[in-house]
Amino acid sequence: MIDIELLQALVRLVDESSLDSLEIERGATRIRLAKSPSGVVVPQALPGVASLPAEAAPPALSSGSEPASPAQSAPASEPPAANLVEVTSPMVGTFYRAPSPEAEPYVEVGTSVAAGDVLCVIEAMKLMNELECEVAGRIVEICADNAEPVDYGQLLFRVDPA
């Protein structure tokens, strides 16, 4: 059972501070609070973890961060479609395209993906966080460089939904 007073205190702490997000894990319970929407991300649920209703989250703020230079992009002959889904970083960390240095990348430009497919890993505080795609479609652009730092809300991928 989650202590409501603790949860309210954490919401106030994040809301009144310069923190963009806060994640706390106690045993089988994990609480993640964020000021800004996390983009197209499906959080990994831990067994026995209580979910917070959307109205319990603090209000969203615009991040205002500039995306990194594109690592890979669609061919110049393909104009960007207006219906592309932008996948942004849910946290500050290091962006990795593959699960290990010697492994193949999770996705390449042109890869077809299904909802729930892993797109990349973001390392934050020695924890590897898999970023899953929320929509089915095709990867049109990879907007971050492998093994480089990314900011909260930074554009990582563009997906053409199927």
Side-chain angles (χ1 to χ4, degrees):
M1 184 72 181
I2 295 177
D3 180 8
I4 298 300
E5 290 178 7
L6 171 65
L7 185 58
Q8 290 172 337
L10 291 173
V11 169
R12 276 192 306 277
L13 173 74
V14 171
D15 193 36
E16 295 171 356
S17 72
S18 62
L19 294 173
D20 274 336
S21 65
L22 173 69
E23 187 169 333
I24 295 178
E25 190 170 334
R26 282 187 175 174
T29 303
R30 185 167 88 180
I31 299 172
R32 182 176 187 286
L33 303 172
K35 288 183 180 180
S36 302
S38 61
V40 183
V41 176
V42 177
Q44 291 183 338
L46 296 175
V49 175
S51 297
L52 297 177
E55 57 272 7
L61 299 174
S62 63
S63 64
S65 64
E66 293 295 319
S69 60
Q72 291 187 357
S73 60
S77 61
E78 184 178 325
N83 66 336
L84 295 180
V85 174
E86 294 186 337
V87 180
T88 59
S89 178
M91 64 190 73
V92 173
T94 304
F95 173 85
Y96 294 105
R97 295 189 52 215
S100 66
E102 55 281 335
E104 292 295 315
Y106 288 109
V107 295
E108 298 283 357
V109 171
T111 302
S112 292
V113 292
D117 284 357
V118 176
L119 299 175
C120 66
V121 172
I122 299 177
E123 178 187 6
M125 297 180 65
K126 304 295 182 197
L127 294 175
M128 298 302 206
N129 302 281
E130 290 182 340
L131 181 66
E132 297 177 352
C133 192
E134 192 173 273
V135 297
R138 183 178 57 87
I139 302 295
V140 175
E141 187 175 9
I142 301 172
C143 304
D145 293 320
N146 189 49
E148 292 296 321
V150 292
D151 289 326
Y152 178 84
Q154 180 176 330
L155 180 62
L156 302 177
F157 299 92
R158 285 195 173 100
V159 180
D160 186 7

